[in-house]
Amino acid sequence: MMNHSTLIRFAGIAFSFVAFAGAAGAQDFPTRPITMIEPWEAGTSGDITARIVAEFASEKLGQPIAVQNIAGGGGAKAMLTLSEADPDGYTIGNSWVATQIMVPTFESRIGFEPMGFDPIALMWVNPFTLTVTADHPANNVDEFVEWAKAQDGILRVGVCPAVSLPHVVMRRFLEVAGITNYQPIPADGCETSNIQGLFDGSLDFTTGALGAEKTYGDKIKSLAIFTEERSPIEPEIPTAKEQGYDLDWGAATAGWSGLVAPEGTDPERLKVLQDVFRDVINSEAFKKKMFEGGFTVQYMEPEEFKDLWRVSLERLGPALDDLKKN
């Protein structure tokens, strides 16, 4: 029979072994490529940012991060796939307010819960814009409202998928502006499809993310940004609020994107990911690359990021209820 001192020594050895095994598990991770699920199609702002951050993080992790585009259902397909993935740290996702918060809130049978993920880091925020072709007669919001109300037919407005933040924000703007003669035209491709619609004449105006629209240069023009303040990316574009059209939603008018993992991901491996992406997102090289692409970097610690999910749920809930009724 073991005496008291022997038991203490044995327990100490066992504890040390467990601690060493946990540390070793973290140090050995990752030993193979990681998959990052992206809910939008190639060429969209989400896809671009996912590939930028994946490139930077791959260098620090010593393993490639492969971006897998799973578009459709307003991001639901991607988030459902992520929620069902093995929580071993080798599958992560680029989450958006629309894909993670809005879609499952609007449709409870979608198959995953808005809060049912582990946070890694908030990566960036992006304002949405009122955008038309460069030859559109309106050059500011007042002129746009006057033009819209003078049209006899139904205006076709390009939105992202039906249940998306750009759609809800655009509906809010049109309500504030008193414009009622419109029909939302949703597209899974989001900004790429909508801007293409402006070019081929199938859409009269659209809303999208500033970063994607910057790609098209002088072929389009943004008449307003739907945020409280102007963007440092394109400060020459005035806000709708300063032009007399206050949406009164505060931070809820801007899109956000961050990195998440399946709920219950191995804590040691999750911490490795959180530490690496914290370093990447806060690095000057990453911020410079994102700024050049038209994206505004904003980092949040994991728990702060999770709090943002709760705030988004609270603020967007009433708008989603209205969307269901219409």
Side-chain angles (χ1 to χ4, degrees), residues 22 32 41 49 57 131 152 158 169 185 208 215-216 230 260:
R32 55 185 170 85
E41 66 183 19
T49 57
T131 300
D152 293 328
V169 169
I185 309 295
T215 305
Y216 297 91
R230 295 192 183 200
V260 301

Short mmCIF file of all heavy atoms in Angstrom, two decimals, residues 22 32 41 49 57 131 152 158 169 185 208 215-216 230 260:
data_model
loop_
_atom_site.label_atom_id
_atom_site.label_comp_id
_atom_site.label_asym_id
_atom_site.label_seq_id
_atom_site.Cartn_x
_atom_site.Cartn_y
_atom_site.Cartn_z
N GLY A 22 -0.73 18.38 -22.56
CA GLY A 22 -1.51 19.48 -23.10
C GLY A 22 -0.65 20.48 -23.82
O GLY A 22 -0.97 20.96 -24.90
N ARG A 32 -0.83 19.79 -40.12
CA ARG A 32 -1.32 19.64 -41.49
C ARG A 32 -2.11 20.89 -41.87
O ARG A 32 -2.38 21.74 -41.00
CB ARG A 32 -2.20 18.39 -41.62
CG ARG A 32 -3.36 18.31 -40.63
CD ARG A 32 -4.07 16.98 -40.76
NE ARG A 32 -5.05 16.73 -39.71
CZ ARG A 32 -6.31 17.15 -39.72
NH1 ARG A 32 -6.75 17.87 -40.76
NH2 ARG A 32 -7.13 16.86 -38.74
N GLU A 41 -18.80 33.92 -52.59
CA GLU A 41 -18.10 33.41 -53.77
C GLU A 41 -16.80 34.16 -54.02
O GLU A 41 -16.56 35.24 -53.47
CB GLU A 41 -19.01 33.49 -55.00
CG GLU A 41 -19.35 34.91 -55.43
CD GLU A 41 -20.31 34.96 -56.60
OE1 GLU A 41 -20.98 33.95 -56.88
OE2 GLU A 41 -20.38 36.03 -57.25
N THR A 49 -10.70 39.25 -48.29
CA THR A 49 -10.12 39.39 -46.94
C THR A 49 -9.75 38.04 -46.35
O THR A 49 -8.76 37.93 -45.63
CB THR A 49 -11.09 40.12 -46.00
OG1 THR A 49 -12.34 39.42 -45.97
CG2 THR A 49 -11.34 41.54 -46.47
N ALA A 57 -1.51 34.36 -41.80
CA ALA A 57 -1.53 33.40 -40.70
C ALA A 57 -0.79 32.12 -41.06
O ALA A 57 -0.19 31.48 -40.20
CB ALA A 57 -2.98 33.08 -40.31
N THR A 131 -25.05 52.90 -54.08
CA THR A 131 -24.18 52.91 -55.25
C THR A 131 -24.98 52.86 -56.55
O THR A 131 -25.96 52.11 -56.67
CB THR A 131 -23.21 51.72 -55.20
OG1 THR A 131 -22.43 51.83 -54.01
CG2 THR A 131 -22.29 51.69 -56.41
N ASP A 152 -41.75 56.44 -62.80
CA ASP A 152 -43.10 55.88 -62.87
C ASP A 152 -43.15 54.40 -62.48
O ASP A 152 -44.09 53.96 -61.83
CB ASP A 152 -43.66 56.03 -64.29
CG ASP A 152 -43.88 57.50 -64.66
OD1 ASP A 152 -44.20 58.28 -63.74
OD2 ASP A 152 -43.75 57.84 -65.85
N GLY A 158 -30.50 46.22 -56.12
CA GLY A 158 -29.70 45.03 -55.88
C GLY A 158 -29.29 44.94 -54.42
O GLY A 158 -28.71 45.87 -53.86
N VAL A 169 -30.24 47.13 -44.23
CA VAL A 169 -29.80 48.53 -44.16
C VAL A 169 -30.40 49.34 -45.30
O VAL A 169 -30.85 50.48 -45.11
CB VAL A 169 -28.26 48.61 -44.17
CG1 VAL A 169 -27.79 50.06 -44.35
CG2 VAL A 169 -27.69 48.05 -42.87
N ILE A 185 -33.86 42.94 -55.31
CA ILE A 185 -33.44 41.81 -56.14
C ILE A 185 -32.25 41.14 -55.44
O ILE A 185 -31.12 41.62 -55.52
CB ILE A 185 -33.03 42.25 -57.55
CG1 ILE A 185 -34.13 43.13 -58.20
CG2 ILE A 185 -32.71 41.03 -58.41
CD1 ILE A 185 -35.43 42.41 -58.44
N GLY A 208 -23.68 47.79 -51.22
CA GLY A 208 -22.64 46.78 -51.10
C GLY A 208 -21.57 47.25 -50.14
O GLY A 208 -21.69 48.29 -49.51
N THR A 215 -12.95 48.38 -56.18
CA THR A 215 -12.32 47.64 -57.27
C THR A 215 -12.74 48.16 -58.63
O THR A 215 -11.97 48.09 -59.60
CB THR A 215 -12.70 46.14 -57.16
OG1 THR A 215 -12.35 45.67 -55.86
CG2 THR A 215 -11.99 45.31 -58.21
N TYR A 216 -13.96 48.69 -58.73
CA TYR A 216 -14.51 49.06 -60.04
C TYR A 216 -14.19 50.49 -60.46
O TYR A 216 -14.62 50.94 -61.53
CB TYR A 216 -16.02 48.82 -60.05
CG TYR A 216 -16.35 47.35 -59.86
CD1 TYR A 216 -16.55 46.83 -58.59
CD2 TYR A 216 -16.43 46.50 -60.95
CE1 TYR A 216 -16.83 45.48 -58.41
CE2 TYR A 216 -16.71 45.15 -60.78
CZ TYR A 216 -16.90 44.65 -59.51
OH TYR A 216 -17.18 43.31 -59.33
N ARG A 230 -17.59 59.03 -41.71
CA ARG A 230 -16.99 58.69 -43.00
C ARG A 230 -15.91 57.63 -42.82
O ARG A 230 -15.34 57.47 -41.74
CB ARG A 230 -16.38 59.94 -43.65
CG ARG A 230 -17.40 61.00 -44.02
CD ARG A 230 -16.79 62.05 -44.92
NE ARG A 230 -17.73 63.13 -45.23
CZ ARG A 230 -17.59 63.95 -46.27
NH1 ARG A 230 -16.52 63.85 -47.07
NH2 ARG A 230 -18.49 64.89 -46.49
N VAL A 260 -14.04 32.39 -36.67
CA VAL A 260 -14.66 31.55 -35.65
C VAL A 260 -14.30 30.09 -35.90
O VAL A 260 -13.83 29.72 -36.98
CB VAL A 260 -16.20 31.71 -35.64
CG1 VAL A 260 -16.59 33.16 -35.37
CG2 VAL A 260 -16.81 31.24 -36.96
#
